[in-house]
Amino acid sequence: KNQVEQSPQSLIILEGKNCTLQCNYTVSPFSNLRWYKQDTGRGPVSLTIMTFSENTKSNGRYTATLDADTKQSSLHITASQLSDSASYICVVTSSGGSYIPTFGRGTSLIVHP
Amino acid sequence: EAGVTQFPSHSVIEKGQTVTLRCDPISGHDNLYWYRRVMGKEIKFLLHFVKESKQDESGMPNNRFLAERTGGTYSTLKVQPAELEDSGVYFCASSQVLRRTEAFFGQGTRLTVV
């Protein structure tokens, strides 16, 4: 069964600090892994996407890594800002069938001033 | 360019009633997806349209749910009759057919069945 597990479930940090969110998956066969940011009351917005051959991808202060061997990914946020407060969702898509994505439950990040 | 839009943003209905959710995808996007997030759980896939055809509806929970996409433009998701466990946030996403993994999400419809 395809699964995506994220940790921690929630995280509180001070503005300006760095943090790292984790994602472990069992999706197979693997097509791509995407990190989304979801603000309260909004739909998810894509931050990064990585395929099998990519092990790191950056988008501003967001850097995602992928280890396809261990089936792990991380999202590192540098110099956090108050606007980073949101839910961060890891989504892994299988290349089997019609590319149905499997979502993690997300990590709720709160950045305090 | 307009993004994916969903109507209504919130809906509160009584058990047994019917509700219809609407999704307007980004213009030119042939792929349209419906997802649902039940409180405390992860977002789950419901179904996938390519233009007006249902490509995959393996995630639809039961026959009380009916999705349509007449003409391959906007889509509707009807729940009839609604049950308490149908409460959640329903998301729609769309993507271009040649870039099917680049999906853009709407803001979601929060459905509450009381």
Side-chain angles (χ1 to χ4, degrees), chain A residues 1 31-32 34 36 38 41-46 49 87 89 93 97-106, chain B residues 33 35 37 40-45 48 55-56 58-59 89 91 100-108 110:
Chain A
K1 179 182 178 182
S31 174
N32 64 76
R34 188 187 295 270
Y36 283 91
Q38 184 178 12
R42 311 289 286 272
V45 175
S46 178
I49 180 171
S87 178
I89 304 171
T93 299
S98 60
Y99 289 77
I100 295 175
T102 302
F103 289 73
R105 294 193 182 188
Chain B
Y33 309 83
Y35 299 92
R37 184 169 200 164
K41 300 289 185 67
E42 67 274 19
I43 296 173
K44 287 197 172 179
F45 166 85
H48 169 209
Q55 184 76 10
D56 188 325
S58 61
V89 181
F91 291 103
R100 51 190 164 189
T101 60
E102 187 70 49
F104 297 87
F105 282 79
Q107 83 282 8
R110 179 173 294 279

Side-chain angles (χ1 to χ4, degrees), chain B residues 11-51:
Chain B
S11 180
V12 181
I13 63 171
E14 292 184 350
K15 175 183 174 180
Q17 288 187 322
T18 298
V19 62
T20 300
L21 314 180
R22 171 168 170 150
C23 168
D24 285 68
I26 294 173
S27 178
H29 282 193
D30 287 341
N31 288 306
L32 187 149
Y33 309 83
W34 282 99
Y35 299 92
R36 176 173 74 172
R37 184 169 200 164
V38 173
M39 185 178 293
K41 300 289 185 67
E42 67 274 19
I43 296 173
K44 287 197 172 179
F45 166 85
L46 295 179
L47 89 160
H48 169 209
F49 282 100
V50 176
K51 296 185 179 179

Side-chain angles (χ1 to χ4, degrees), chain B residues 52-91:
Chain B
E52 68 275 10
S53 300
K54 291 177 184 175
Q55 184 76 10
D56 188 325
E57 52 184 332
S58 61
M60 295 287 264
N62 51 61
N63 58 11
R64 294 185 294 103
F65 288 75
L66 175 64
E68 295 180 322
R69 192 183 182 195
T70 306
T73 54
Y74 70 90
S75 174
T76 58
L77 179 64
K78 180 190 289 188
V79 185
Q80 178 183 29
E83 297 289 344
L84 299 179
E85 63 264 26
D86 300 333
S87 296
V89 181
Y90 290 77
F91 291 103

